[in-house]
Amino acid sequence: MDEEILFVILKIFLHAQYLFFQQKFSEARAALDKAKANAERPVDRLHVMLFGVWSFLAEGNFKQAQTSLVQWEAEAKAKKSWEAYAMAPVWRAAALVASEKYAEALKQIPQALDRALAELLKVIDADPGDVRTRLKAGDLLFTKGEIHEAAKQ
């Protein structure tokens, strides 16, 4: 990727963050759309899209946040970004918590961890030397164990 293009994406993205802090949501989303359009790598595009999800949550627009999360998940799957796809259910559960839908989030979390772990293990199988993914998988196993123990109590 051309470093100049990456700099442009970063500059637009930071400008969008500034606009969100100023609560200029429509202008900020326009900046995010521009950053997404300029992103050549799927990982950059997915990062911008996920920021958009969280911006809807910050604004209190939970329905649009869920819609955007579904689009983000579909994009991750289509671009074969398995790590992002693996984490989609975890983000969904986090978004439900942010939306104060705690009971629904509790139902999602065990399923989310199972899916995330299964997808991360596929990444590890494809590249056994991927230490970063191994650490994420270990963290998920630990978290899953903590949730299981908490459910017993």
Side-chain angles (χ1 to χ4, degrees):
M1 168 180 270
D2 186 357
E3 288 181 21
E4 192 173 312
I5 293 172
L6 189 56
F7 179 73
V8 168
I9 294 167
L10 181 60
K11 184 177 173 182
I12 297 167
F13 184 71
L14 290 174
H15 181 68
Q17 287 181 323
Y18 169 78
L19 291 169
F20 280 118
F21 287 130
Q22 298 295 314
Q23 296 188 354
K24 297 178 180 178
F25 296 109
S26 61
E27 291 176 52
R29 289 217 177 75
L32 283 181
D33 289 343
K34 187 175 178 183
K36 188 169 64 170
N38 283 292
E40 291 180 359
R41 298 182 316 168
V43 67
D44 297 327
R45 183 176 168 84
L46 287 166
H47 183 73
V48 171
M49 290 176 74
L50 189 58
F51 187 80
V53 170
W54 292 108
S55 73
F56 283 117
L57 288 171
E59 189 179 9
N61 189 342
F62 304 120
K63 184 176 181 179
Q64 187 57 47
Q66 289 293 340
T67 300
S68 295
L69 193 53
V70 168
Q71 293 167 347
W72 180 82
E73 183 177 10
E75 177 86 7
K77 187 174 184 179
K79 298 297 181 185
K80 299 182 180 178
S81 180
W82 300 121
E83 187 175 334
Y85 183 69
M87 295 305 293
V90 176
W91 290 126
R92 187 175 301 106
L96 287 167
V97 168
S99 305
E100 298 182 1
K101 295 181 179 180
Y102 305 116
E104 197 174 330
L106 282 173
K107 293 175 189 172
Q108 290 274 327
I109 290 171
Q111 295 170 358
L113 291 172
D114 287 342
R115 176 172 165 195
L117 184 59
E119 294 299 326
L120 289 174
L121 290 175
K122 289 178 189 175
V123 172
I124 291 170
D125 286 345
D127 182 6
D130 185 351
V131 175
R132 190 171 62 91
T133 303
R134 286 181 180 275
L135 290 172
K136 284 184 180 183
D139 287 345
L140 281 174
L141 283 171
F142 181 77
T143 301
K144 186 176 177 183
E146 284 184 332
I147 290 171
H148 182 69
E149 288 300 314
K152 284 182 185 178
Q153 298 173 1

